[in-house]
Structures are given as C-alpha cells and as structure tokens.
Amino acid sequence: MLTEYAFWFLTFVAIFSAMGMILSKNPVYSVLSLIVTFFAIAGHYFLLNAQFLAAVHIIVYAGAIMVLFLYVIMMLNLNKVDEEKRSIWSKAAAAASFGILLLVVSAAIGHGHAQSELQSVADTSAIGTTETLGLSLYKEFLIPFEISSVLFLAAMVGAVYLSKKEQYN
Amino acid sequence: MKELILISLLGIFVLALDVLQLRKLTLPAIVLGLLGLMACCALDWNRNEQPFLEYGGMLLFDNTSLAFTFVFSFLALLWFLITRDQFATDAKRSDLYALTLFSLCGAVIMASYSSLVTLFLGIEILSIPLYVLAASDKRSVRSNEAGFKYFFLGSLASAILLFGIALVYGATGSFDLATIAAAGQSNSSLISIGCLMMLAGFAFKISAAPFHMWAPDVYQGSPTVYTAFMSTVVKGAAFAGMFKLFAIAFNDFTESHRSVFVAMIVLTLLWANVVGMRQTNIKRLLAYSGISHAGFMLAFVMLGASSDPKWLIYYVLTYSIASMIAFVIVNYVESYHLGMEDQDGFKGLVKKNPTLAIAMTLSLLSMAGLPPLSGFMGKYIIIGQCMRADLIGLTIIMILTSVVAMFYYLRIIMLMFTPLENAGRIIPEKGQMWIIGIGSVLIIALFFGASIFEIIQW
C-alpha cells in the first residue's frame, strides 16, 4: 500500500517538474526542475528494486550533468529571459509530431499489454543489486563493456583536441 | 575478432607514436595496419567466428561483415594516402588520424554486430569522432557550425534509435538479433514501433529523406577531407548496419512495412535531385548527390532477404570511390582558390590541370550512372532487382531521377571544359596525383568487376 502511494506521489512530482522544466522562462528554473524530475525518477528506480541504478542516476544526472548545465548557463549568462521567438508554425509542427509519437507509443504499449506479451519477472528482489549488475556486466555484457572503452577513449581524444589552444601564427 | 582488436590498437598506437615524437612513422604504421586488417579479413573468410560466445558473444564475423570490413579498410587506406599532403604540415595530425581510426573501428562494429547493444555502441563509436572531425577546423565558423549541427541532430537520432531498441527489448526480452528474428515482428505493435524508431535513427545516419536536412550543411561546413570520409566509409558503415538489421533480423518487419521504405526512397530521390539541381556550391551539390545515392542503396535494404548483400557492397564500393575522388578534387581546387568551393572555381579546370578535370569527369559520370563506368552497374543491378520485385512505379522514379541527376552532373562537367581567356593559376601536379589516377582506373575497372562479384559465392 505504501509503495503504491509512493508510486503515485513520485509520478506526479516527475510529470509536474518535467512540465515546469519545459514551461519556465528562466533557464535556471528549468535546470532546477529537471533535477527534481531526476530525483523522482530515481525514486521510481528504488521502487523497482534497482538501488544501484537509482544511486548512479542521482550521481551522474543530478550531480555531474546538472552541475555542468548550471555552469554553462551561468557562464554564458543565459539567465536573462531572452528566448528566441520561434514561429507558431514550427511550434505547432513540433507539438503535433511529438504528440503523434506519444499517442502511437502509448497505444502500442497498451495494445502490447493486452496481448500480455510483456513478460513479468516473478522475482524482482535480486535484479537491481550491485552484485547482479556487476556479474552480468562482466559476464553477459563483457564485449560491450570492453568495446565501450574505445568509445570513451575516442570521446576523450576529441574533447582534448577541441579544447586545446590553437597556436595562431 | 582480431580485426576489431587490430583497428583499436592501431588507433592507440598512433596516439603513442605522437607521445614518443615519432610522427614520421604515423602514416606508414597506419598503411601497414590497414593492409593487415585487409589480410585478417581474408584469413577469417568462411570461419563465421563468434568470439567470446561463453561471455554472451554479441559479435559475429560472417562473410558479409568481413567483406564490408575489407571494403571499409580499403576505402580508409585510399583516404589516408590521398589526403597525405593535407596533413603533412599539421602538427596535430596524430589526434585527427587517431579519431579517424576510432571511427573506422565503429564501422567495423557496425558490420559485425549480432546484438542491439553492440549495434548502439558501434553507431556511437562511428559518430562521436566524426562530430569532432567535422568541427576540427577551429578557426572556421562554418566548420564549428557543422560540428555543432551534426552533434545535436546526431544525438537526437541516437536517442530515437535507443528508444526503439528499448521498445524492442521490452517486447522480446532480448538484445540478440537471432532471438528477435525468431520471435517475428509483424504480430506485435510494440516491436513494429520499435523498428520504425530504429528506422528513423538509421535514416538520419544514412541521410535519407525526410531525415537528410543536416547533410548539405554538415558536408559543406566540414573540412573537405572529412566530408570525403563521411560520405564514403561512414555512409557505407551505416548501410552495413542497416542491411544486417532490416534485411536479415527484421525481415518480417521490412516485408510488412515495405510501403514505408518505398515512400522514403521516393521522397529521398525526388527531394535530392530536385533540390540538388539548384545548388551552385559544389560541396552541397555532392551532398545532394550522396542523398540520392542513399535512396538507391536503401532499395537494397528494402528488398530484404531477396537481395544479396554482395550487391550492396558493390554499390557502396563503386559509389564511395567516385565520391571520395570527387571530394578530394574539390579539396585541391578550393585550396588553390582560397577557400572558395563555389562551382566557379571549376571554370576552365581542364586548362589549369587536365588530370584533375578528367578524374573529376570520370567520377561525376560514374555517380550519374553512365554505361562504361562502374556507377552504371550498381544502378542497373538495383533497378533490375526492383523490377523483379514488381515495384514498377519505384523503378520509373529511379530512372527519371537518374536522368535529372545527369543534368546537374553535366553542368559541372561543362563548366570544367569551358575555355577561359585568362586561365589563372595553373594547379600544379602533386605527388599523390597517381592515387587519383588509380581511383579513376578503378571506377572503370569495377564496371567489369561486377562479374567477379557474380562469381564470389558466400
């Protein structure tokens, strides 16, 4: 019962803060409401027994990425309300296309649920623990794990290249 | 597996050579490494290697992926040799070379994945170095814009692709292509939508309409050498991944959603050729030409299991050689006209440098699909296959747009052969002119090479 209340509470917080993120004119408020959304989603992970994922989510998203966002906004001095005016047509087109996408995806998920093709996992208590995650990361997902090192190396070399000072001569 | 290890180590080795102040050895090491990569592909032929199967596998080096890997390493080799002069004086070329090699590593993964996880990693490894390379001319506003645009739109496409992967995983409970293929895709709406979203993500990467908007801007803004890389190896890699996904694993989906593919191809061909006609900037024109070729290659994917991957490989190879030569020549000409890549730079090129003019003519005519050149053979094969699949309307549009495309290729050729009163500066012959020569010979020779492809059975 308690988990159900927690679920509804977190869901409302997540949806309303996500809307606040889009609707607020001030970029700093946007970032702050996005942090609230991230915390609410981390709460959902907890309810799904994914403690490790919840912790990582908060550390990476609410911690690192959001601090970076805030830093950039303050550095570029974007906190003034000087949003670029877009034409009503482009707004309408964006709203319509993503609205259709939302409709189709939710219909498909509802339809899929009716077909009961979503397999429900019987025992969820051990799924999200660090131990299970670590075991599957180094067993089933060993190759992707190793391959991702190339990705990070490439991203690192690229970041260093772009931020290196150019010598003008 | 050794292909993947070799190419990753080669990238790291290039970085190490830079640290050890041995920059003179960089290019020879890369050439040796890429030759080694091609040799590895030949050695592994017919082995169908599935490395680390006891750890979940996720990679499959079958003959199709080895052939793609071979073609990519050949094209990369050509690229490294042909752009040698561009980098000769660049002190930071090791970084750029390493990034290019990492991107090639992504291309190898795209050809040989057998799970949606490795597919996603492959696409990211392929793209992330490219975002940097597109923006690598830090002093040019255009290049910065190209990098930014490519990065933002590419990230969005990756996100949509990832959403699609998540939906497919949610419906089937597996990332493995064989498992998903066995489950079938036409009976579940969740899988259908997942597949459609993955199709949208891929359509961005191959620049098929209506997801092609980024291509002209990015191709124009990026340093031309990387445009040459982007329009050849990267596009080929995206098609390798797409063929494996939609023609083999999601064959059910491709069959039942053929109209989506047909609509995309028709839109791509019409848009690219109609808008391409009005371009005066040669890089934008070649970008639209690349988009229209993406439409042709998409037809191979659409035909699914009934089309043989070797013809897609043949098309990728012939288009890539022609496109690479065209972009490299644009690079030459613009470097002698102080950054002006407008078509005026090509006026009277035959007087300034006949070799360049003839090579450019050959590659443009090959892309247009004129009979004695290899581009014709590629178009002939795909149009024939569409005919056999009873897609008469599509066939007619393919032929008509080819004729329209011929018009704008011929305009550039006319421009090059227009005599000028004051020819201006003569563009000197350079050391790697012979590579352009070899490439031009390949354009002609591969026309007859189609019969070799016919003989190779896999």
Side-chain angles (χ1 to χ4, degrees):
Chain A
M1 204 58 205
L2 191 65
T3 47
E4 200 169 316
Y5 284 131
F7 171 79
W8 286 113
F9 173 71
L10 288 170
T11 308
F12 275 111
V13 171
I15 289 175
F16 278 103
S17 55
M19 278 168 70
M21 190 251 155
I22 300 170
L23 295 174
S24 77
K25 291 265 180 209
N26 189 327
V28 178
Y29 290 160
S30 273
V31 169
L32 290 177
S33 34
L34 191 56
I35 293 178
V36 176
T37 318
F38 283 144
F39 270 98
I41 289 173
H44 274 306
Y45 285 139
F46 261 115
L47 291 184
L48 292 168
N49 263 322
Q51 301 89 340
F52 182 75
L53 202 55
V56 168
H57 193 77
I58 289 177
I59 293 169
V60 173
Y61 284 92
I65 291 181
M66 279 302 114
V67 168
L68 198 70
F69 271 20
L70 271 178
Y71 188 69
V72 169
I73 285 170
M74 285 168 177
M75 213 167 68
L76 296 181
N77 208 11
L78 284 176
N79 46 0
K80 282 177 286 162
V81 187
D82 49 357
E83 198 188 346
E84 193 194 335
K85 281 274 176 285
R86 285 188 196 81
S87 76
I88 187 85
W89 285 109
S90 66
K91 276 183 188 168
S97 51
F98 277 91
I100 290 169
L101 184 65
L102 178 71
L103 191 72
V104 169
V105 170
S106 49
I109 290 173
H111 184 64
H113 209 63
Q115 288 175 342
S116 73
E117 64 187 332
L118 292 169
Q119 298 126 342
S120 60
V121 182
D123 179 28
T124 54
S125 59
I127 274 188
T129 59
T130 319
E131 194 189 349
T132 337
L133 201 74
L135 278 175
S136 74
L137 195 60
Y138 290 106
K139 266 175 152 176
E140 280 173 80
F141 292 92
L142 182 69
I143 286 187
F145 181 76
E146 295 291 346
I147 287 176
S148 56
S149 60
V150 180
L151 177 64
F152 294 132
L153 183 62
M156 220 147 61
V157 173
V160 170
Y161 176 81
L162 282 183
S163 54
K164 226 181 339 191
K165 209 168 201 171
E166 188 101 352
Q167 276 156 9
Y168 294 94
N169 41 5
Chain B
M1 191 65 198
K2 48 179 173 290
E3 293 85 3
L4 197 54
I5 295 172
L6 179 68
I7 188 72
S8 322
L9 286 182
L10 189 61
I12 297 166
F13 186 61
V14 167
L15 288 175
L17 282 179
D18 187 55
V19 175
L20 297 172
Q21 302 283 339
L22 292 167
R23 292 196 192 92
K24 280 215 165 69
L25 294 178
T26 311
L27 197 63
I30 291 174
V31 170
L32 274 181
L34 289 176
L35 286 175
L37 187 61
M38 287 156 82
C40 283
C41 293
L43 283 176
D44 276 349
W45 195 256
N46 273 337
R47 279 185 55 207
N48 280 327
E49 188 194 5
Q50 271 186 299
F52 298 105
L53 207 52
E54 66 276 22
Y55 285 106
M58 302 207 176
L59 290 172
L60 166 64
F61 291 88
D62 59 0
N63 285 351
T64 311
S65 48
L66 288 174
F68 267 118
T69 308
F70 188 87
V71 167
F72 297 152
S73 29
F74 175 73
L75 289 172
L77 188 64
L78 196 65
W79 184 85
F80 277 110
L81 290 174
I82 221 167
T83 60
R84 195 183 59 194
D85 274 9
Q86 178 89 12
F87 292 102
T89 53
D90 192 343
K92 284 173 305 199
R93 65 174 179 274
S94 304
D95 295 355
L96 298 169
Y97 276 162
L99 284 171
T100 315
L101 287 171
F102 288 137
S103 184
L104 185 62
C105 176
V108 174
I109 299 171
M110 289 288 282
S112 51
Y113 68 93
S114 73
S115 148
L116 296 179
V117 181
T118 31
L119 161 70
F120 184 71
L121 278 174
I123 246 184
E124 287 303 290
I125 297 176
L126 181 73
S127 318
I128 285 185
L130 277 179
Y131 303 148
V132 180
L133 292 176
S136 63
D137 188 2
K138 282 186 270 183
R139 273 172 279 183
S140 147
V141 181
R142 279 266 181 75
S143 172
N144 288 338
E145 185 202 330
F148 237 71
K149 217 170 237 176
Y150 198 19
F151 174 63
F152 273 118
L153 294 175
S155 311
L156 184 66
S158 295
I160 290 174
L161 180 81
L162 195 58
F163 197 177
I165 292 176
L167 289 179
V168 171
Y169 179 73
T172 58
S174 171
F175 288 121
D176 187 47
L177 285 192
T179 318
I180 298 170
Q185 294 96 41
S186 45
N187 51 356
S188 156
S189 46
L190 209 54
I191 302 186
S192 290
I193 289 180
C195 291
L196 277 175
M197 291 179 97
M198 290 171 83
L199 182 63
F202 263 109
F204 173 87
K205 297 285 172 195
I206 61 166
S207 70
F211 305 98
H212 66 285
M213 301 296 192
W214 59 276
D217 289 350
V218 172
Y219 279 24
Q220 186 191 3
S222 309
T224 314
V225 277
Y226 301 119
T227 313
F229 190 78
M230 258 182 237
S231 73
T232 55
V233 176
V234 177
K235 191 170 266 191
F239 269 107
M242 204 172 181
F243 191 87
K244 197 167 210 169
L245 194 67
F246 288 103
I248 297 167
F250 292 164
N251 193 30
D252 268 11
F253 167 82
T254 314
E255 301 257 294
S256 55
H257 289 72
R258 182 167 271 184
S259 52
V260 177
F261 283 86
V262 171
M264 255 167 75
I265 295 169
V266 169
L267 199 60
T268 306
L269 289 174
L270 289 179
W271 200 318
N273 290 306
V274 171
V275 181
M277 262 202 309
R278 291 170 40 203
Q279 302 303 319
T280 55
N281 180 303
I282 188 133
K283 278 165 89 177
R284 286 186 86 85
L285 189 142
L286 287 174
Y288 278 105
S289 144
I291 294 171
S292 99
H293 280 277
F296 279 99
M297 288 189 260
L298 193 56
F300 284 106
V301 177
M302 173 199 70
L303 291 172
S306 60
S307 94
D308 199 319
K310 69 184 169 199
W311 297 122
L312 177 61
I313 295 171
Y314 178 73
Y315 200 109
V316 167
L317 183 64
T318 53
Y319 160 71
S320 298
I321 290 175
S323 171
M324 191 177 287
I325 287 172
F327 273 116
V328 167
I329 290 171
V330 171
N331 189 31
Y332 270 149
V333 173
E334 76 181 345
S335 66
Y336 279 92
H337 286 267
L338 296 170
M340 183 178 69
E341 73 260 13
D342 206 54
Q343 61 182 16
D344 291 344
F346 278 78
K347 227 174 234 169
L349 187 67
V350 70
K351 275 271 180 63
K352 295 179 197 164
N353 188 331
T355 322
L356 286 184
I358 290 169
M360 186 76 179
T361 309
L362 273 178
S363 56
L364 285 179
L365 286 179
S366 174
M367 280 195 274
L370 220 66
L373 302 171
S374 53
F376 166 76
M377 217 53 190
K379 281 189 178 175
Y380 172 77
I381 290 162
I382 185 58
I383 289 174
Q385 288 191 352
C386 285
M387 289 262 268
R388 246 167 282 149
D390 279 334
L391 295 160
I392 303 299
L394 184 65
T395 317
I396 291 170
I397 286 180
M398 278 178 167
I399 294 170
L400 282 181
T401 50
S402 291
V403 174
V404 173
M406 187 76 90
F407 169 77
Y408 63 73
Y409 292 124
L410 280 177
R411 205 184 59 203
I412 299 294
I413 294 169
M414 295 258 286
L415 215 59
M416 287 194 295
F417 286 90
T418 315
L420 273 181
E421 283 97 56
N422 53 338
R425 289 172 64 188
I426 304 286
I427 299 175
E429 307 268 337
K430 277 200 192 164
Q432 73 277 57
M433 212 56 111
W434 59 274
I435 297 181
I436 294 184
I438 289 178
S440 315
V441 171
L442 273 175
I443 290 177
I444 303 172
L446 276 171
F447 177 75
F448 304 103
S451 49
I452 300 172
F453 268 74
E454 188 76 76
I455 295 162
I456 297 172
Q457 300 285 336
W458 73 66

